[in-house]
Amino acid sequence: MLLPGLLFAGDITTLYDELALRHPDFFNTVPEDEADALVASLEAESGAYGKVEYWYALEKVAAIAHDSHTQVALDAQVLTSMHFLPIGFDLFDEGLAVVWTGEGYEELLGQIVDTICGLDLDGLLALAGAWISHDNEVHLTQSLLDNHLVFHEFYETLALVEEGEDITIALSDGRLVDIPALSFDEWAAMERKILQEAIPPTLNPADPYSAMLLDDPEALLLNYHSCVDWAAMPMADFALRVEELVRQEGFTKVIIDLRYNAGGDSSVINPLVDALERIQDERGLEVYVLIGEDSFSSAILNALTLRERLGAVLVGRPTGGSVSHFGELDSFVLPDTGLTCWYSTKWFDNGEKGPLMPDIFTPRHIEDYRTGRDGTLVQLGVVK
């Protein structure tokens, strides 16, 4: 009988060969001879892999590119084969915290976690960097928070636990708690309790872009959540409405929120930049751009444009996307597993390395998250 991994073992080599051919600079970080040895070792072990282990092996191949866009999609077949922890995490200035729990673990809600499987977050990041596609540490951290820290197989992949073994977390108060793994069906069906009691009223993700009045009567907030030209309100029309509103109301400050923007077409914002530039030329206008861990790809390019053309002040936290980065995606399907690989086709050199850094750094506190308080806008003095 074939071991599970032998059913699709050819895809490791296929993925490696295709990415070496298609990616603009696949070996930009890992020398080719080291990459060859890595792939050979993954192939040698693949006969014992199940679906999830094989996906992690494919992700390790994709991670050679050191490119957040180049990755193997996590499809439903792999996801439903995984096992999950009944708790979820997020990162604050106070530390790694439990932000949701399943039934029976409610007492952990809001607790600070010092270690998981004996490692703090930095230790987990150091091990995970070779297995997860990323181009900077901010994006790697977000990948762990958004996905991997709740996957039991993540800890198995890092050789921190055995299959079916409980995960041990150490809390800041000294307690050790053993957390079991649930099947996908158990995890999906469980009742959840969440730490976040309210969502900030300044967050409006329903529309790609929108305008919002703030407590400060001289400030206007423009939420820009996706770099797409919205059919219901084309950006050219939106920009004209914003320009008219700023002139009528006499706003002296415009704040453009890119904290939740994962990218798209970087040129979409141009009519808005043009409109704000006209106002600046006539009577002056302070422009602030909010950035953070979820700002990515074209949102980074937009922030750079706003800084260059409008003298915008960047406020928030380092971005998940890098200033210079690979992008312009294409994809192909691996023949044996049927998994889709996304990869970059172009290098964007914007003169800076790593994440885009804010001019004004803002903290991220657990209590703000719990109560729905937008700490960044509070720090700017435009909301109470």
Side-chain angles (χ1 to χ4, degrees):
M1 183 177 73
L2 290 176
L3 291 169
L6 295 179
L7 298 176
F8 32 73
D11 276 355
I12 290 176
T13 298
T14 299
L15 176 64
Y16 181 55
D17 291 344
E18 289 295 325
L19 287 178
L21 178 67
R22 296 171 183 242
H23 194 277
D25 190 8
F26 187 57
F27 302 105
N28 68 88
T29 301
V30 181
E32 188 169 354
D33 58 343
E34 291 183 20
D36 287 344
L38 167 64
V39 172
S41 69
L42 292 172
E43 281 282 22
E45 299 168 0
S46 64
Y49 294 157
K51 294 174 185 176
V52 180
E53 292 83 2
Y54 202 85
W55 174 73
Y56 266 115
L58 293 170
E59 274 287 83
K60 192 168 189 177
V61 174
I64 292 170
H66 205 67
D67 167 12
S68 298
H69 289 97
T70 297
Q71 55 187 297
V72 178
L74 178 60
D75 74 353
Q77 187 181 46
V78 175
L79 187 66
T80 55
S81 300
M82 283 184 162
H83 296 82
F84 299 79
L85 305 187
I87 60 174
F89 308 92
D90 206 344
L91 186 62
F92 302 91
D93 286 21
E94 294 85 353
L96 183 68
V98 177
V99 293
W100 61 260
T101 72
E103 187 176 358
Y105 297 92
E106 294 88 349
E107 67 172 9
L108 299 180
L109 203 62
Q111 294 293 316
I112 300 298
V113 177
D114 284 345
T115 65
I116 306 175
C117 296
L119 294 176
D120 62 12
L121 183 58
D122 286 340
L124 291 170
L125 288 168
L127 291 180
W131 291 91
I132 299 171
S133 301
H134 69 285
D135 57 23
N136 67 56
E137 291 299 304
V138 178
H139 184 261
L140 177 60
T141 301
Q142 286 305 114
S143 294
L144 262 62
L145 295 172
D146 293 341
N147 296 299
H148 300 278
L149 289 184
V150 302
F151 299 159
H152 190 275
E153 281 82 0
F154 169 72
Y155 304 99
E156 294 177 36
T157 297
L158 300 184
L160 298 175
V161 295
E162 299 292 333
E163 182 178 351
E165 185 180 354
D166 286 354
I167 299 292
T168 300
I169 64 172
L171 303 179
S172 61
D173 62 11
R175 284 183 292 161
L176 297 178
V177 182
D178 292 332
I179 308 294
L182 307 179
S183 70
F184 174 80
D185 289 340
E186 291 171 327
W187 180 81
M190 73 180 183
E191 295 275 342
R192 288 172 171 80
K193 184 174 182 180
I194 62 174
L195 181 65
Q196 191 175 34
E197 298 171 357
I199 295 174
T202 48
L203 173 60
N204 178 24
D207 300 332
Y209 36 84
S210 58
M212 183 177 296
L213 301 178
L214 300 170
D215 295 331
D216 181 349
E218 294 191 354
L220 179 68
L221 176 66
L222 303 179
N223 292 303
Y224 190 35
H225 294 301
S226 183
C227 300
V228 297
D229 205 4
W230 188 24
M233 172 65 72
M235 178 57 82
D237 295 340
F238 179 72
L240 289 175
R241 291 192 180 190
V242 168
E243 183 175 7
E244 181 181 2
L245 183 62
V246 171
R247 292 183 188 279
Q248 285 181 348
E249 300 298 326
F251 293 117
T252 62
K253 291 174 280 191
V254 169
I255 302 163
I256 302 171
D257 193 349
L258 300 177
R259 288 175 294 177
Y260 313 100
N261 192 319
D265 183 349
S266 59
S267 68
V268 170
I269 201 174
N270 289 344
L272 179 61
V273 180
D274 293 340
L276 296 177
E277 192 172 46
R278 286 192 293 269
I279 298 171
Q280 259 194 347
D281 290 343
E282 292 175 17
R283 59 177 180 82
L285 185 69
E286 294 179 38
V287 178
Y288 299 88
V289 175
L290 310 185
I291 58 174
E293 294 87 348
D294 293 321
S295 305
F296 202 74
S297 194
S298 290
I300 308 297
L301 301 180
N302 289 165
L304 294 172
T305 297
L306 291 160
R307 184 176 68 180
E308 178 183 351
R309 290 184 55 186
L310 303 179
V313 176
L314 306 183
V315 183
R317 301 171 70 84
T319 59
S322 294
V323 178
S324 296
H325 59 269
F326 294 103
E328 248 179 63
L329 302 190
D330 203 346
S331 67
F332 60 90
V333 176
L334 293 166
D336 294 336
T337 59
L339 295 173
T340 298
C341 176
W342 292 94
Y343 66 96
S344 296
T345 64
K346 186 177 178 180
W347 169 250
F348 294 89
D349 189 349
N350 296 302
E352 299 178 34
K353 293 184 177 180
L356 183 60
M357 304 300 291
D359 301 306
I360 300 174
F361 185 89
T362 59
R364 187 167 190 257
H365 292 304
I366 293 176
E367 187 63 12
D368 287 344
Y369 176 84
R370 186 184 67 80
T371 61
R373 182 174 182 258
D374 194 327
T376 298
L377 293 177
V378 170
Q379 183 168 331
L380 278 178
V382 293
V383 299
K384 298 175 181 177

